[in-house]
Amino acid sequence: MIRIDGDYLEGGGQIARTALALSTITQKSFEVCDIRKGRKDSGLKNQHLYCVKSLQELCNANTEGAELGSLWLKYYPKKIMAKNLNIDIETAGSITLLLQALLMPAMFVSKPITITIKGGTNTKFSMPFDYFNNVLLPQLQRFAKIEAKLLKRGYYPKGNGKVEIKINPKFKLNDFSNFEDFDGYLKQNVHKYNLIEQHHLIQIKGISHASRNLQQANVAERQAESTLSILKQKYNIPINIAAQYQDTLSTGSGITLWAIFSKNKDDIDENNPIRLGADSIGEQGKRAEIVGEEAAHNLIKEIESKAPIDRHLADQLLPFMALIKDSKIKVSEITNHCKTNIYTIQQFLGDIFEVDEKNNTISI
């Protein structure tokens, strides 16, 4: 039983989500204590419980302490099964945060599966679906063919957004007698992460979105126009930001941007795509123009870091880097969130990361 300190450094729910993912594929049981201990509403939230429930469906895991508000959790995984999943978080709990626990094990099942999730698609303190789809997923296609489709947006507090993920695995965990053999095969057959330079900025894309009841006020267009006016002053490249409206249960808006780079001009490297993301979310009383300005300035900050990996993408890539080793990335900022994820990963896979905070590089 691996024992994990849930209050380590940043001490957020990421510790439990990463542990659940790695426990399921390594088949190593774990116990985590003091979950989100320093938070106002400490312990397991609804979103974390659905991470557990989803993985129980995928691998028939046994658990202890999986209750709302629990400060501890024990998790005993079993063999992963290939099955379609239909998950309803029932609140605006983040779909993308749930996928931090579920996606990795689901990528290594024995046949194609479809995962349908209802919940929040654009919420505070989690990556928006558009970032997940356009910044993170291009980095994961080396492991499996993954198609993500937004069926409906869900804003806080009622959620009810809907996402469909289709996964066609390239590497199947159950083809191997143990995780060590599987991991050894991945090391030999998956392209390593080698992301040290930005190279050429060739275009910026984005999606500005809002609930249908904000369409008369042109909220999505105003967010996009505010962003464009700032970015066009900085960069003489194609910039395309789509404005979208949808019927939703709760009022909401936001904008997600991603900058696309190329090592050789106009030649996108599919093995090591370079994309930096940034976003901003609307709130009551917050003008649409401010939302757009925030997103633009956040993206500019990432671009000017000269790093090919933004501060949020680093967190997401670390577990996958750990599976194939011999990889190196340069990030815009090594956050405590990032260090916390390194701590969690190393409980399962050993002391494998080298962190150079002076040069903002992480290698393995």
Side-chain angles (χ1 to χ4, degrees):
M1 171 77 64
I2 294 170
R3 287 174 173 79
I4 299 171
D5 176 9
D7 196 35
Y8 181 85
L9 272 186
E10 189 267 342
Q14 178 74 55
I15 293 174
R17 290 189 294 271
T18 298
L20 284 165
L22 289 173
S23 173
T24 303
I25 67 164
T26 62
Q27 296 289 285
K28 296 177 182 177
S29 302
F30 76 92
E31 175 184 14
V32 57
C33 300
D34 295 333
I35 299 171
R36 302 177 65 255
K37 185 179 178 181
R39 302 298 167 90
K40 183 180 177 181
D41 51 346
S42 58
L44 293 171
K45 296 181 72 175
N46 204 47
Q47 167 246 119
H48 306 114
L49 295 178
Y50 275 95
C51 291
V52 175
K53 289 178 183 178
S54 302
L55 286 169
Q56 283 179 308
E57 276 199 63
L58 196 68
C59 73
N60 278 327
N62 293 324
T63 63
E64 298 175 39
E67 299 173 2
L68 198 63
S70 174
L71 290 172
W72 64 280
L73 173 71
K74 289 185 178 180
Y75 180 80
Y76 307 86
K78 295 181 182 176
K79 190 174 181 179
I80 292 174
M81 300 174 292
K83 59 187 298 187
N84 296 332
L85 300 176
N86 203 324
I87 304 157
D88 186 352
I89 302 175
E90 298 178 353
T91 65
S94 171
I95 289 172
T96 58
L97 289 184
L98 185 149
L99 285 167
Q100 287 180 353
L102 180 60
L103 186 62
M104 177 185 277
M107 288 164 58
F108 300 126
V109 294
S110 56
K111 64 181 183 181
I113 63 170
T114 299
I115 303 173
T116 306
I117 311 173
K118 288 177 70 175
T121 61
N122 300 84
T123 59
K124 277 187 172 182
F125 312 119
S126 67
M127 67 175 140
F129 171 81
D130 305 298
Y131 180 102
F132 170 85
N133 197 24
N134 294 287
V135 180
L136 176 59
L137 282 193
Q139 298 290 357
L140 304 186
Q141 301 295 343
R142 68 193 70 200
F143 291 98
K145 183 181 178 183
I146 308 168
E147 296 178 26
K149 184 183 296 184
L150 177 69
L151 303 179
K152 188 176 182 181
R153 289 199 189 273
Y155 300 109
Y156 181 84
K158 294 183 179 179
N160 200 47
K162 193 172 183 181
V163 167
E164 180 184 83
I165 314 284
K166 291 185 176 180
I167 302 172
N168 191 347
K170 296 178 183 178
F171 309 100
K172 302 168 184 179
L173 181 58
N174 289 341
D175 284 351
F176 298 82
S177 58
N178 55 57
F179 171 75
E180 287 71 25
D181 289 348
F182 172 70
D183 195 32
Y185 187 81
L186 290 183
K187 289 179 177 65
Q188 297 297 319
N189 291 279
V190 180
H191 288 286
K192 312 302 183 186
Y193 287 101
N194 181 25
L195 294 157
I196 303 300
E197 297 180 54
Q198 284 182 354
H199 299 292
H200 304 286
L201 176 62
I202 59 172
Q203 60 179 307
I204 294 173
K205 293 186 176 183
I207 296 175
S208 178
H209 54 86
S211 49
R212 185 82 64 191
N213 62 332
L214 297 177
Q215 187 168 6
Q216 192 170 350
N218 295 318
V219 167
E221 290 85 358
R222 285 161 53 204
Q223 290 174 163
E225 288 164 7
S226 176
T227 299
L228 279 168
S229 67
I230 294 171
L231 293 178
K232 283 184 174 179
Q233 292 177 39
K234 295 278 295 183
Y235 308 110
N236 184 26
I237 55 169
I239 303 175
N240 188 331
I241 302 174
Q244 299 178 352
Y245 292 95
Q246 283 194 351
D247 294 316
T248 58
L249 292 186
S250 297
T251 297
S253 75
I255 184 167
T256 301
L257 306 171
W258 56 98
I260 302 174
F261 297 79
S262 175
K263 186 173 182 179
N264 303 307
K265 285 196 173 182
D266 300 327
D267 179 22
I268 303 297
D269 184 349
E270 292 186 1
N271 293 326
N272 278 293
I274 302 170
R275 295 189 174 195
L276 297 175
D279 69 278
S280 181
I281 194 161
E283 297 180 64
Q284 189 173 359
K286 186 177 180 180
R287 293 174 58 244
E289 288 76 13
I290 300 300
V291 176
E293 288 174 15
E294 283 183 358
H297 289 304
N298 288 342
L299 185 66
I300 290 168
K301 183 179 178 182
E302 294 294 346
I303 293 171
E304 291 185 345
S305 75
K306 301 300 181 185
I309 300 290
D310 68 62
R311 64 199 296 268
H312 299 298
L313 182 59
D315 296 356
Q316 314 303 317
L317 288 189
L318 293 174
F320 296 94
M321 284 175 62
L323 294 182
I324 54 177
K325 309 286 195 305
D326 297 327
S327 296
K328 186 174 183 178
I329 60 174
K330 182 179 176 66
V331 305
S332 61
E333 180 185 354
I334 297 176
T335 63
N336 274 346
H337 209 272
C338 192
K339 294 176 186 176
T340 303
N341 221 17
I342 287 173
Y343 159 78
T344 308
I345 295 164
Q346 292 189 156
Q347 305 311 302
F348 290 90
L349 300 177
D351 191 12
I352 50 179
F353 287 100
E354 293 182 16
V355 179
D356 181 350
E357 293 194 61
K358 182 179 178 181
N359 296 304
N360 279 352
T361 60
I362 303 172
S363 53
I364 185 169

